[in-house]
């Protein structure tokens, strides 16, 4: 027992050393082709076997679920809080096309592709797979979003889309998981639509109430100089989880609530919300590192073990035909050049949201072909981390030379 405890301590020490090393050399790493997701996915994969030997499986399962829920709540709240309605009025057409047309098209095309490649899973599993693999991750496209060579219209569009699509796709993930689970258990679908509708309706209501109330209270505290600067980040974290818990109490979906609360908070709060950015760049980055490390250590090995030609084909099609095709169709008539449409279509990397959705739904639901879903997500995210991470800087420079 002592030997196992010492083994776990050494693994944890190696992980903390990696966190420190990355932070120390972060500026130099940002100038290279390496990215945070690439580094910590590979590190996690290297530590997969030592980690499994050092801790019981139930402890690892409970830990990854807790990490997934915490990270997903904060990411949804933080991403949504940065989307300002006032700015969207000036540059809303491209993001609106990609979110209102491109996102449903991605889910529709993804469902069709998955069902055609793997029909034995059924339509419900195809829908669930498509929904989980639709949201994009701005962390994998930082080389594009922050590159001054990229036209502001394109970088802002990628930023807004990645900030909103993970929250907008949540109802589809929930619906797919419920239908797939009900089909497996051969359960009656009576009340299924009602339960899903209840979660989708009450979740936003909890988010609206929490986001607006906390914003008003913070404005009042700021105006009267009652709140210390260090406490602003505490309010941000507490507000995100308050929305989640309130929704769960009244029967809504907590993740949808966190997303809506962030959007309402960001647009109701009258002062600078710099503390959200500061938190996500500090403590939030540790959660991001941990999530990609957990993906590499606990999901990727299982995904690769169950990978097949079908899962590889699905992964490649989601990163190319499904994503690029859906965005291309959504941007028809927008006036963009062909290279710009392809650029926006390609930079829809799959990452944190897909990982976290998979961890959460696999813990909450039982459905058929879990191993194949895990393999599809693992292959898609791993390929995306490598392909988008390595291509972001070169393509950003190329698009800037128009």
């Amino acid at each position: 027992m002592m030997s196992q405890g010492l083994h776990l301590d050494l693994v944890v020490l190696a992980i903390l050393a990696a966190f420190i090393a990355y932070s120390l050399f972060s500026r130099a790493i940002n100038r290279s082709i390496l990215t945070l997701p690439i580094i910590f996915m590979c590190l996690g994969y290297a530590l997969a076997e030592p980690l499994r030997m050092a801790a019981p499986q139930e402890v690892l399962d409970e830990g990854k679920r807790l990490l997934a829920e915490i990270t997903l709540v904060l990411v949804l709240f933080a991403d949504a809080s940065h989307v300002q309605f006032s700015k969207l009025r000036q540059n809303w057409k491209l993001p609106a096309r990609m979110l209102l047309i491109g996102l449903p098209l991605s889910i529709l095309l993804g469902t069709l592709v998955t069902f055609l490649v793997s029909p034995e899973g059924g339509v419900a599993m195809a829908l669930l797979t498509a929904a989980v693999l639709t949201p994009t991750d701005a962390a994998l496209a930082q080389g594009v979003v922050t590159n001054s060579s990229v036209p502001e219209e394109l970088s802002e569009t990628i930023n807004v889309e990645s900030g909103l699509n993970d929250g907008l796709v949540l109802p589809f993930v929930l619906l797919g998981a419920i239908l797939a689970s009900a089909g497996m258990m051969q359960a009656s679908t009576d009340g299924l639509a009602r339960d899903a509708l209840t979660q989708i309706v009450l979740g936003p209501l909890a988010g609206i109430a929490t986001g607006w109330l906390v914003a008003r209270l913070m404005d009042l505290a700021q105006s009267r100089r009652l709140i210390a600067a260090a406490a602003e980040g505490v309010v941000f974290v507490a507000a995100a989880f308050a929305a989640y818990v309130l929704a769960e109490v009244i029967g809504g979906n907590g993740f949808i609530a966190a997303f809506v609360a962030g959007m309402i908070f960001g647009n109701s709060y009258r002062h600078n919300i710099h503390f959200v950015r500061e938190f996500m760049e500090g403590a939030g980055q540790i959660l991001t590192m941990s999530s990609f490390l957990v993906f590499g250590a606990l999901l990727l090995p299982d995904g690769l073990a169950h990978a097949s030609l079908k899962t590889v084909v699905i992964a490649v099609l989601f990163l190319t035909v499904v994503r690029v095709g859906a965005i291309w169709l959504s941007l028809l008539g927008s006036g963009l050049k062909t290279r710009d449409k392809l650029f926006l279509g390609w930079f829809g990397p799959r990452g944190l949201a897909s990982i976290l959705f998979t961890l959460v739904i696999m813990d909450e639901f039982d459905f058929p072909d879990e191993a194949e879903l895990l393999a599809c997500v693992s292959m898609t995210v791993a390929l995306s981390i490598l392909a988008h991470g390595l291509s972001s800087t070169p393509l950003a420079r190329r698009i800037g030379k128009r």
Side-chain angles (χ1 to χ4, degrees), residues 3-17:
S3 172
Q4 189 181 54
L6 179 61
H7 193 182
L8 180 60
D9 289 341
L10 292 176
V11 173
V12 172
L13 186 61
I15 293 172
L16 294 175

Side-chain angles (χ1 to χ4, degrees), residues 180-342:
S181 179
M184 177 183 176
M185 302 300 294
Q186 296 182 341
S188 170
T189 56
D190 293 342
L192 187 63
R194 183 186 65 250
D195 292 341
L197 186 63
T198 299
Q199 291 203 43
I200 293 172
V201 171
L202 294 182
L205 290 179
I208 292 171
T210 304
W212 183 85
L213 178 61
V214 173
R216 293 278 69 81
L217 291 174
M218 274 202 73
D219 277 328
L220 182 63
Q222 284 278 16
S223 300
R224 300 189 178 184
R225 297 185 178 181
L226 300 175
I227 186 171
E232 294 173 341
V234 176
V235 176
F236 154 64
V237 175
F241 286 104
Y244 176 87
V245 173
L246 177 60
E248 294 292 318
V249 168
I250 65 176
N253 183 273
F255 297 114
I256 296 177
F259 175 75
V260 174
M263 190 179 301
I264 297 301
F265 178 85
N267 286 276
S268 300
Y269 185 54
R270 296 171 184 170
H271 295 78
N272 194 324
I273 59 170
H274 60 87
F275 51 87
V276 175
R277 183 182 66 254
E278 290 171 356
F279 178 89
M280 294 307 291
E281 288 178 350
Q285 190 172 59
I286 294 179
L287 291 175
T288 302
M289 293 175 182
S290 302
S291 296
F292 282 109
L293 189 143
V294 165
F295 168 69
L298 303 181
L299 267 71
L300 186 57
D302 288 342
L304 292 176
H306 294 96
S308 63
L309 179 60
K310 288 192 301 184
T311 57
V312 174
V313 169
I314 290 172
V316 172
L317 290 176
F318 264 95
L319 295 177
T320 54
V321 175
V322 173
R323 163 69 187 185
V324 178
I327 296 303
W328 177 280
L329 290 173
S330 72
L331 295 175
L332 288 177
S334 64
L336 285 180
K337 295 180 179 179
T338 299
R339 64 185 299 175
D340 292 342
K341 294 176 186 175
L342 292 174

Side-chain angles (χ1 to χ4, degrees), residues 6-284:
L6 179 61
H7 193 182
L8 180 60
D9 289 341
L10 292 176
V11 173
V12 172
L13 186 61
I15 293 172
L16 294 175
F19 287 175
I20 294 171
Y22 176 85
S23 301
L24 289 174
F25 297 99
S26 55
R27 181 171 293 180
I29 292 172
N30 289 338
R31 292 196 296 264
S32 72
I33 61 173
L34 295 177
T35 62
L36 181 152
I38 291 177
I39 292 171
F40 285 95
M41 178 186 70
C42 294
L43 175 64
Y45 190 73
L47 292 175
E49 191 58 31
L51 196 58
R52 290 178 188 274
M53 293 174 59
Q57 187 61 45
E58 58 270 18
V59 173
L60 295 177
D61 290 341
E62 191 64 31
K64 71 182 182 183
R65 166 63 193 268
L66 181 62
L67 174 67
E69 289 193 337
I70 291 174
T71 307
L72 186 55
V73 168
L74 292 176
V75 166
L76 288 170
F77 188 93
D79 284 353
S81 69
H82 289 308
V83 178
Q84 298 295 311
F85 296 151
S86 58
K87 292 184 178 179
L88 278 179
R89 294 192 191 101
Q90 303 169 10
N91 183 28
W92 63 271
K93 292 183 180 180
L94 294 181
R97 281 172 170 267
M98 294 172 69
L99 290 167
L100 300 180
I101 302 174
L103 187 146
L105 272 178
S106 293
I107 295 175
L108 180 61
L109 288 175
T111 303
L112 179 62
V113 163
T114 305
F115 183 73
L116 290 176
V117 175
S118 183
E120 60 273 11
V123 176
M125 279 303 297
L127 171 61
L128 176 59
T129 303
V132 167
L133 291 176
T134 291
T136 60
D137 187 353
L140 296 179
Q142 280 302 299
V144 172
V145 175
T146 61
N147 195 308
S148 58
S149 301
V150 179
E152 185 178 356
E153 182 183 36
L154 299 185
S155 61
E156 183 66 20
T157 297
I158 293 173
N159 210 20
V160 171
E161 187 214 5
S162 62
L164 289 176
N165 65 7
D166 46 4
L168 295 178
V169 84
L170 262 171
F172 296 99
V173 173
L174 179 63
L175 178 62
I178 292 174
L179 290 176
S181 179
M184 177 183 176
M185 302 300 294
Q186 296 182 341
S188 170
T189 56
D190 293 342
L192 187 63
R194 183 186 65 250
D195 292 341
L197 186 63
T198 299
Q199 291 203 43
I200 293 172
V201 171
L202 294 182
L205 290 179
I208 292 171
T210 304
W212 183 85
L213 178 61
V214 173
R216 293 278 69 81
L217 291 174
M218 274 202 73
D219 277 328
L220 182 63
Q222 284 278 16
S223 300
R224 300 189 178 184
R225 297 185 178 181
L226 300 175
I227 186 171
E232 294 173 341
V234 176
V235 176
F236 154 64
V237 175
F241 286 104
Y244 176 87
V245 173
L246 177 60
E248 294 292 318
V249 168
I250 65 176
N253 183 273
F255 297 114
I256 296 177
F259 175 75
V260 174
M263 190 179 301
I264 297 301
F265 178 85
N267 286 276
S268 300
Y269 185 54
R270 296 171 184 170
H271 295 78
N272 194 324
I273 59 170
H274 60 87
F275 51 87
V276 175
R277 183 182 66 254
E278 290 171 356
F279 178 89
M280 294 307 291
E281 288 178 350

